[in-house]
Amino acid sequence: MEINIDKRENKYMKEKLKLVGIEKFFLNNENKRIILDNVNLTIYDGEFVCILGYSGCGKSTLLRIIANFEEIEKGKILLDGKTITKSTPKIFMMFQSFEQLFPWKTIKDNLVYALKATKIEEDKKKANNIAIEYLGLVGLSEYINSYPHQLSGGMKQRAALARALSLKPDVLLMDEPLGSLDAITRNEIQKLILDIWEKYKITIVFVTHDVDEAIKLSTRILIMDDIIKGIKYDIKNKTSLIKEDIEIKQYNNLLKDKIIKSMNH
């Protein structure tokens, strides 16, 4: 069974997000620490891309740059072929922290606020209906009038996911959103994310430290490296194309072995 590692090129897919020559460094006591050096990356419409790499290799920084939360020294970011230089609701970012919601608002009102603030939907009644719809999508219909402090960590992440989806972003960035959850809740939300991705085919870029999670979720895996200050390997993941359980297990074992060797090479 073949595992491909290459720089992905597919002329039949639409380019959704493109990074060109991205450079980023931090200054510490006048010493320059390079984080990303000449990073080039194309992500295609509808892909589910997972980013792996050891702590400190620039994974979260790369996501923040895509979201325009971080300035860059050189390079440019293109969405649908157009350069973007500031934050846009077309690119939305979810974080690991459970505290992503306004604590003084119900989870429904958190969604309504986001819809109105981004001018996705300024009519209050329509915004309320959209909020109810998306909270139902993530299994929180019974909790729409609950406040964040009344919810478990997993429920808060579901609510944060509903808020992100309600804005209908072109690209959803997820920075280890499941990292603090217990194993059972993590598996449940992984399945929820996959179901939503398969239904809506939103483009997702997902940072994780978990190799198994990357294999389970993605169509493509990027391995970042602190030495080269960028993307070391670009790996196609064909798990979703395999139908037989035994073949999936064999493929996943081979892919996991290849990824671990790539990270340590």
Side-chain angles (χ1 to χ4, degrees), residues 1-35:
M1 195 171 291
E2 184 180 1
I3 307 293
N4 293 319
I5 296 186
D6 58 8
K7 287 295 177 185
R8 183 179 178 121
E9 293 182 4
N10 193 332
K11 63 182 179 182
Y12 302 108
M13 295 177 69
K14 177 187 174 185
E15 291 184 359
K16 173 56 69 175
L17 183 70
K18 191 165 188 173
L19 308 184
V20 182
I22 299 296
E23 295 189 11
K24 174 68 181 177
F25 62 78
F26 294 124
L27 291 175
N28 183 15
N29 296 326
E30 298 185 357
N31 293 319
K32 184 167 75 172
R33 181 189 170 212
I34 298 172
I35 307 299

Side-chain angles (χ1 to χ4, degrees), residues 177-190:
L178 312 182
S180 299
L181 299 176
D182 63 86
I184 294 174
T185 305
R186 186 181 184 123
N187 285 332
E188 289 175 352
I189 299 185
Q190 283 174 348

Side-chain angles (χ1 to χ4, degrees), residues 15-210:
E15 291 184 359
K16 173 56 69 175
L17 183 70
K18 191 165 188 173
L19 308 184
V20 182
I22 299 296
E23 295 189 11
K24 174 68 181 177
F25 62 78
F26 294 124
L27 291 175
N28 183 15
N29 296 326
E30 298 185 357
N31 293 319
K32 184 167 75 172
R33 181 189 170 212
I34 298 172
I35 307 299
L36 300 170
D37 185 18
N38 192 31
V39 173
N40 296 283
L41 172 64
T42 299
I43 294 175
Y44 297 92
D45 193 24
E47 281 196 301
F48 196 132
V49 179
C50 279
I51 302 178
L52 284 167
Y54 292 112
S55 296
C57 69
K59 302 185 300 299
S60 294
T61 300
L62 183 63
L63 246 61
R64 293 179 64 83
I65 285 171
I66 294 172
N68 267 279
F69 295 162
E70 292 273 0
E71 293 184 356
I72 53 176
E73 276 59 56
K74 289 183 181 179
K76 59 182 178 179
I77 305 162
L78 295 93
L79 180 67
D80 290 326
K82 297 180 180 179
T83 300
I84 55 172
T85 56
K86 60 182 180 180
S87 297
T88 167
K90 291 184 177 182
I91 300 177
F92 193 88
M93 188 163 176
M94 270 187 68
F95 300 90
Q96 180 178 359
S97 171
F98 296 151
E99 311 308 326
Q100 300 182 56
L101 305 169
F102 294 124
W104 60 88
K105 291 181 179 290
T106 65
I107 58 172
K108 177 173 68 68
D109 287 344
N110 265 277
L111 270 68
V112 170
Y113 177 83
L115 287 161
K116 294 176 73 174
T118 56
K119 299 184 179 180
I120 301 295
E121 182 52 75
E122 296 183 84
D123 181 87
K124 187 174 182 179
K125 185 176 180 180
K126 290 181 180 179
N128 266 282
N129 290 337
I130 292 170
I132 292 169
E133 175 189 352
Y134 279 90
L135 287 168
L137 181 67
V138 300
L140 292 177
S141 293
E142 297 179 13
Y143 301 92
I144 61 173
N145 293 316
S146 297
Y147 290 87
H149 74 271
Q150 297 173 315
L151 304 178
S152 67
M155 293 166 76
K156 289 178 185 178
Q157 291 301 71
R158 285 174 182 263
L161 178 59
R163 180 180 61 182
L165 295 171
S166 72
L167 302 179
K168 297 182 179 179
D170 289 347
V171 179
L172 178 58
L173 308 176
M174 307 182 83
D175 190 6
E176 296 190 71
L178 312 182
S180 299
L181 299 176
D182 63 86
I184 294 174
T185 305
R186 186 181 184 123
N187 285 332
E188 289 175 352
I189 299 185
Q190 283 174 348
K191 185 179 184 305
L192 174 64
I193 291 170
L194 269 180
D195 288 345
I196 289 170
W197 173 76
E198 288 172 356
K199 181 176 180 179
Y200 295 102
K201 289 302 179 186
I202 186 174
T203 304
I204 296 178
V205 186
F206 188 108
V207 164
T208 179
H209 281 97
D210 188 330

